[in-house]
Amino acid sequence: MPKFYITTAIPYASQRPHIGNTYEAIFTDAVARYHKLVGDDVYFLTGTDEHGLKVERAAEKAGVTPQQFVDGVTADLRSIWDMCMVEYDDFIRTTETRHKETVKKMFKRLFEQGDIYKGAYEGWYCIPDEAFHTESQVVKGETGNLCPDCGRPVEWTSEEAYFFRLSAYAERLEAHIEANPAFIQPDNRKNEMLNGYIKPGLQDFCVSRTSFKWGIEVDFDPGHVMYVWVDALSNYITALGYDPGGNHGELFSKYWPCDVHVLGKDVLRFHTLYWPGMLMALGIPLPKQVFGHPWLLMGGDKMSKSLGNVIYAPELIEKYGVDCTRYYVLREMPFARDGSITREQFVSRCNTDLANDLGNLASRSITMAEKYFDGNVSPETTPQNEVLTLCAASREQYRAAMDKLAMQTAVTEAMAPIVRANRFIDETMPWVLAKDESKAEDLRHVLYTLLETLRAASVLLYPVMPLAMGRLRAQLGLPEIPVWDEPAPDGFSVKRGENLFPRIILEEAET
């Protein structure tokens, strides 16, 4: 059984994640479920990044300790992941002992072998992004210098710090990226890393701070705490039981290297330059792929509390259900460019695809099967027609898209036979066939085609909407959880259940 290790970037525990942040967890969960579906041995890791100046200041403002603050944020985040049916195998917190002790050993080893050295830093610092910028990189705003990535104000920082010697690994990084085209996806992100960072000359990066206390202390130099890019990035191996001394845990030996890190495009350079550089220094194989997904925008704008345009997953789930929420974000986010969400778009997409197409097909097909054949549809011969041919073709296209992480394409392929089957009902008019006893076998062929289309869709859409597809499969008389190679049955014994996707009226949803 092939292994498949997949991770999210661990969210920063400074505030509640909005639907754009939550999309990453839903996407990763769907990919993990797909690999389970096809029979892989899957390990799915997520967690929270809980140290840093931003947390320290937020805790102070809230009148609690940093640990109390991150405990609250992390508990809220985990409840949201649960609401979204994100089924991870492990949840790593950077405040856990298992993480902190390993990171201390890693830092010391890198220092002793000369990959980390002591220096001083002067430059502009963006607290929300936890990123340093040079004078030439910051954007000049009316009220002062701004972060080139997020547009928020930066602060001038001058302090003693340790640095990782990334420049020493520039040639090896460039060679690896060039020799492994799939390492950074999408391709435009790969070109951005090569042309924007490596070819102009990689700079060493800061790995400790002295201006705040909330972090993992550098054992051999009190006063220094480890900076995020050593602390947080290391979660991908500390969670598996990596040991800098070589006495690795069973999970690390089994699942590393990671098959894909899933993360937002805004932290891509840290995962494709900083992280691989540290792994090279430690003598550890690099992850096979880093996928920098686009952003989910509110209309055409990035979600921001200051703009008042933030939507949270619990709000969507309470109004529209978890299946609609998962379906929308996975169906609407393109592979290489930003997606968009508005309430109007959300309701329109769910009504069109789920209520009108999938839900309507299930309701009509199962109702007719019960009406004409008491729910038992077993034709004497297996029908062959355009709809079933499309089911087979869509299955192959779906798998190719999922293997490339092209989720939007995969979902579109899964839905194509559903759309065609609805037209097939109008073309064959089973209610007319039912009036002629000599057409009974033709009627069975039509209904079997419709039910088989629904069965095939329930397999492909299970990673996207596990709850709804489980209910659909129950109505089709099938096991709740599908497997990729399940055969088409000789016949169906169906039983109508609740409407899978009630139509949403926008005005009612907004009340």
Side-chain angles (χ1 to χ4, degrees), residues 351-352 355-356 499 501-505 508:
N351 278 341
T352 300
N356 294 356
N499 190 353
F501 302 105
R503 186 171 178 81
I504 302 169
I505 299 175
E508 290 182 356

Side-chain angles (χ1 to χ4, degrees), residues 196-207:
Y197 294 97
I198 293 180
K199 293 185 185 300
L202 274 182
Q203 302 296 310
D204 298 345
F205 63 92
C206 180
V207 293

Side-chain angles (χ1 to χ4, degrees), residues 31 109 133 168 189 195 198 207 226 228 237 239 255 278 291 324 358 360 392 407 411 421-422 451 462 479-480 499:
V31 175
R109 174 179 162 181
H133 301 288
R189 309 274 184 252
N195 299 325
I198 293 180
V207 293
M226 296 177 206
V228 58
I237 55 177
Y255 289 109
M278 288 189 287
F291 176 64
C324 289
L358 180 52
N360 189 45
M407 184 69 67
V411 176
N422 276 301
L451 297 174
Y462 185 82
E480 178 184 352
N499 190 353

Side-chain angles (χ1 to χ4, degrees), residues 329-345:
V329 297
L330 296 176
R331 170 62 179 80
E332 289 300 310
M333 181 72 87
F335 179 71
R337 66 180 190 276
D338 293 337
S340 175
I341 182 172
T342 66
R343 297 185 189 281
E344 292 76 14
Q345 290 170 347

